[in-house]
Amino acid sequence: MSRERIWGYGLPALVAVATMGFWEWIVYALDIKHFVLPAPSAIAAAAIESWGSLMDATWVTIRVTVIAFVLALIFGIAFATLFAQSRTIERALFPYAVTLQVTPVVAIAPLILIWVGPDNAERAVLILATIVAFFPILANATLGLRSADRQLHELFDLYGASRWQRLIRLQFPAALPNILTGMKISGGLALIGAVVAEFAAGSGTSTGLAWVILQAGFNLKVAKAFAALGLLAAIGITIYALLSLLERHALKHWHESARPPE
Amino acid sequence: MLLSFDNVTKTFPNGTLALDRVNLSIASGEFVSLVGPSGCGKSTALRLIAGLIEPSAGKVAWTHAKPSVGFVFQDAALMPWATVAKNVRLPLELTRKDDAEADRRVADTLELVGLTKFANAYPRELSGGMRMRVSIARALATDASVLLMDEPFAALDELTRDRLNDELRELWAVKNLTIVFVTHSVYESVYLSSRVIAMSQRPGRVIADIAMTEPKTRTRDFRMTTAYGERCRDVRSALQRELATP
Ligand SMILES: Nc1ncnc2c1ncn2[C@@H]1O[C@H](COP(=O)(O)OP(=O)(O)OP(=O)(O)O)[C@@H](O)[C@H]1O
Ligand SMILES: [Mg+2]
């Protein structure tokens, strides 16, 4: 491992250890009540105690997030492809995509819940998370599909390329960096969407980590809430790390952003 | 005669008159250079020959059926995400050549431009000169007999440019190509071509048509000859006369 990478991992780890130590110390030193701020050791104990239910909730949240992300990816790229075919279609539909994006998800949650039926809260959460994650992929993919080099377009003209050939061999590869950027943003948003939507719509049948946090808050089990929060952060970081890895791998041969340091 | 421009006029949708009643004809096997001030319509003329755009009036006519045409752009215009071999293969795939045939042609053209060893390299790993060779290989992959080149060597350093000039002359002779070559450089046009066409400022018209078929084989020594110097002066003075008139 290069010195560069040791610092890249080591430094944040060092910060984490120092923060934990200080946190533990300050809780005991100032005798802070456990329902205000539990010590890291208390959080760990709570996590071990409720491990089973926490893992169930984690699994639910991961499932919703991943499915919402995949749906957002499919719809985002499908609509971007449509927009790239014609400016008229884009002009007609893009305002609605923007409207969907700027309307707060909390505000549409009750409506969606009514439409899918209150017994299907998880489906409502899924739809809402998809809506939240959809736009960055749409916007970035649309931009990317239009950004292919003009001379390369002329080359495709010269050889009488079909619309399909142009899309697959020119526009998609050219759009890949943008699509990956959109995916990195949407990955995080899918998780945020899954959590916020569960807060807003998840009464009763939905059982993700957001619901655990709400319940724990009601019961003043703050340590458990912190444990759930830690798991949410871990999911978020994992998603980002995986997508960054994918990005680096996909672009390593050609994109300036993936050029190894000299 | 291979092709001719009959009173070709090109007006772009925004009203720009790029070419104004241009007449010229190009014979099979010629190496024609187009020189002229920036914006005079040289690229437009090439794109008309390639059939990428249509004239607004007049006609671009091929004497026989339109042959396979290759195009080389100024900055190579390679697909950065594809290897050298995949870039050269693109025209073959777009025109749906079968795999074995495509493999063979890719290998042949890469050999022709001396890049066999770099088949699996990505464009960013290549020098500017090598990228240009890939672009030429791609243009020739479909067995094109007509090569259209739009300021292909403008971005290269002088030594690389000289070398590619020599290689291009050789390619032209060996493959019996017809080449239409756009350049800003009077020296390059005279060194390379059997005929130099000078164009006026926009809207472009032909203001001089200077033939120079001899010598057939040209080496660096050719640049020292009086014939070369005289031709350069002819082309230059035609362009300067044009620039002097407002
Ligand atoms: N698609 C287009 N729409 C409108 N105007 C255009 C278009 N393409 C070219 N022009 C204009 O037509 C004129 C001729 O352009 P062209 O590119 O053929 O010039 P050129 O001789 O190749 O110039 P340069 O030496 O700078 O490459 C220019 O004024 C240019 O701005
Ligand atoms: Mg030009």
Side-chain angles (χ1 to χ4, degrees):
Chain A
M1 236 188 332
S2 68
R3 161 172 269 158
E4 200 68 28
R5 291 189 63 174
I6 294 174
W7 276 115
Y9 291 112
L11 223 47
L14 211 63
V15 171
V17 171
T19 310
M20 290 293 170
F22 177 73
W23 182 349
E24 190 82 35
W25 172 78
I26 199 96
V27 167
Y28 285 103
L30 301 184
D31 195 19
I32 298 173
K33 294 281 175 291
H34 70 91
F35 54 80
V36 176
L37 181 68
S41 57
I43 296 171
I48 291 165
E49 188 194 317
S50 331
W51 191 248
S53 65
L54 277 174
M55 279 302 108
D56 288 347
T58 303
W59 175 235
V60 170
T61 298
I62 289 177
R63 193 174 60 211
V64 170
T65 303
V66 169
I67 297 177
F69 174 71
V70 171
L71 288 176
L73 190 62
I74 292 170
F75 283 113
I77 289 181
F79 276 96
T81 307
L82 194 65
F83 289 179
Q85 302 303 311
S86 128
R87 289 265 180 204
T88 315
I89 297 176
E90 182 180 355
R91 267 195 217 115
L93 295 185
F94 203 75
Y96 296 99
V98 175
T99 309
L100 208 57
Q101 157 76 5
V102 297
T103 308
V105 63
V106 182
I108 31 180
L111 271 178
I112 303 278
L113 196 59
I114 289 169
W115 289 336
V116 301
D119 294 338
N120 290 319
E122 190 176 320
R123 195 174 300 166
V125 172
L126 186 64
I127 292 171
L128 291 164
T130 306
I131 290 173
V132 173
F134 167 71
F135 191 76
I137 293 187
L138 174 71
N140 281 287
T142 305
L143 177 71
L145 289 171
R146 287 197 194 290
S147 68
D149 183 65
R150 200 180 64 92
Q151 300 190 327
L152 279 174
H153 269 298
E154 292 201 321
L155 195 73
F156 276 66
D157 288 340
L158 185 66
Y159 296 109
S162 68
R163 190 170 273 220
W164 180 248
Q165 285 177 323
R166 189 183 302 264
L167 198 62
I168 295 299
R169 292 180 185 279
L170 175 59
Q171 291 177 288
F172 272 127
L176 197 58
N178 301 80
I179 292 176
L180 286 161
T181 302
M183 283 169 72
K184 279 208 301 201
I185 301 170
S186 287
L189 283 181
L191 180 63
I192 293 174
V195 170
V196 173
E198 201 181 354
F199 278 150
S203 56
T205 59
S206 165
T207 47
L209 281 171
W211 192 242
V212 171
I213 291 173
L214 273 184
Q215 288 271 291
F218 285 142
N219 302 328
L220 288 184
K221 288 186 174 166
V222 181
K224 190 177 177 188
F226 265 96
L229 205 56
L231 285 167
L232 276 178
I235 298 173
I237 291 168
T238 307
I239 291 172
Y240 189 82
L242 287 176
L243 290 174
S244 298
L245 200 70
L246 176 72
E247 180 179 42
R248 216 168 326 138
H249 186 74
L251 303 182
K252 71 176 169 216
H253 286 303
W254 63 279
H255 206 255
E256 285 304 319
S257 68
R259 194 187 270 278
E262 314 265 309
Chain B
M1 209 46 50
L2 179 68
L3 93 143
S4 57
F5 274 43
D6 302 325
N7 276 313
V8 168
T9 297
K10 179 66 191 178
T11 315
F12 285 105
N14 65 0
T16 309
L17 179 61
L19 295 176
D20 188 17
R21 281 162 297 162
V22 171
N23 286 294
L24 62 88
S25 47
I26 295 172
S28 189
E30 273 192 305
F31 193 138
V32 180
S33 283
L34 291 180
V35 292
S38 192
C40 73
K42 303 181 295 294
S43 300
T44 304
L46 276 196
R47 293 166 70 219
L48 281 163
I49 297 175
L52 291 169
I53 52 176
E54 296 292 323
S56 320
K59 204 162 93 208
V60 177
W62 296 88
T63 308
H64 305 288
K66 186 184 167 193
S68 173
V69 171
F71 208 114
V72 178
F73 297 95
Q74 172 162 356
D75 36 11
L78 301 178
M79 301 182 291
W81 53 83
T83 60
V84 165
K86 292 226 174 79
N87 266 289
V88 174
R89 202 186 174 93
L90 178 77
L92 300 166
E93 288 179 346
L94 292 181
T95 52
R96 301 176 192 286
K97 290 279 177 300
D98 70 74
D99 271 3
E101 170 85 355
D103 287 342
R104 189 180 60 73
R105 292 218 190 158
V106 169
D108 286 356
T109 36
L110 281 181
E111 165 129 45
L112 194 66
V113 298
L115 283 179
T116 306
K117 276 199 298 209
F118 293 90
N120 294 317
Y122 283 82
R124 80 162 181 206
E125 298 158 17
L126 306 179
S127 68
M130 286 156 89
R131 275 202 283 268
M132 212 23 104
R133 285 205 195 95
V134 178
S135 190
I136 293 171
R138 178 178 63 189
L140 294 176
T142 51
D143 253 344
S145 59
V146 178
L147 199 52
L148 308 175
M149 309 180 83
D150 195 354
E151 299 185 37
F153 308 143
L156 303 177
D157 66 88
E158 209 170 317
L159 288 178
T160 310
R161 187 178 187 155
D162 285 351
R163 199 171 64 237
L164 283 175
N165 278 346
D166 290 338
E167 289 177 16
L168 185 61
R169 281 283 304 185
E170 198 182 315
L171 216 54
W172 170 67
V174 170
K175 301 277 287 182
N176 266 325
L177 299 171
T178 306
I179 298 183
V180 184
F181 188 96
V182 167
T183 176
H184 272 128
S185 162
V186 171
Y187 304 112
E188 190 178 38
S189 71
V190 172
Y191 183 71
L192 281 176
S193 39
S194 51
R195 192 174 147 209
V196 179
I197 294 176
M199 290 173 70
S200 68
Q201 281 176 302
R202 188 167 61 93
R205 280 168 295 104
V206 176
I207 52 170
D209 194 331
I210 298 163
M212 182 160 190
T213 47
E214 298 299 326
K216 280 274 176 313
T217 50
R218 298 179 185 181
T219 61
R220 306 282 158 88
D221 294 338
F222 174 54
R223 289 184 205 278
M224 306 300 154
T225 62
T226 34
Y228 173 78
E230 274 169 14
R231 285 302 164 275
C232 286
R233 205 191 50 216
D234 291 350
V235 175
R236 182 163 292 274
S237 60
L239 289 171
Q240 265 159 358
R241 229 178 297 128
E242 166 62 20
L243 284 176
T245 53

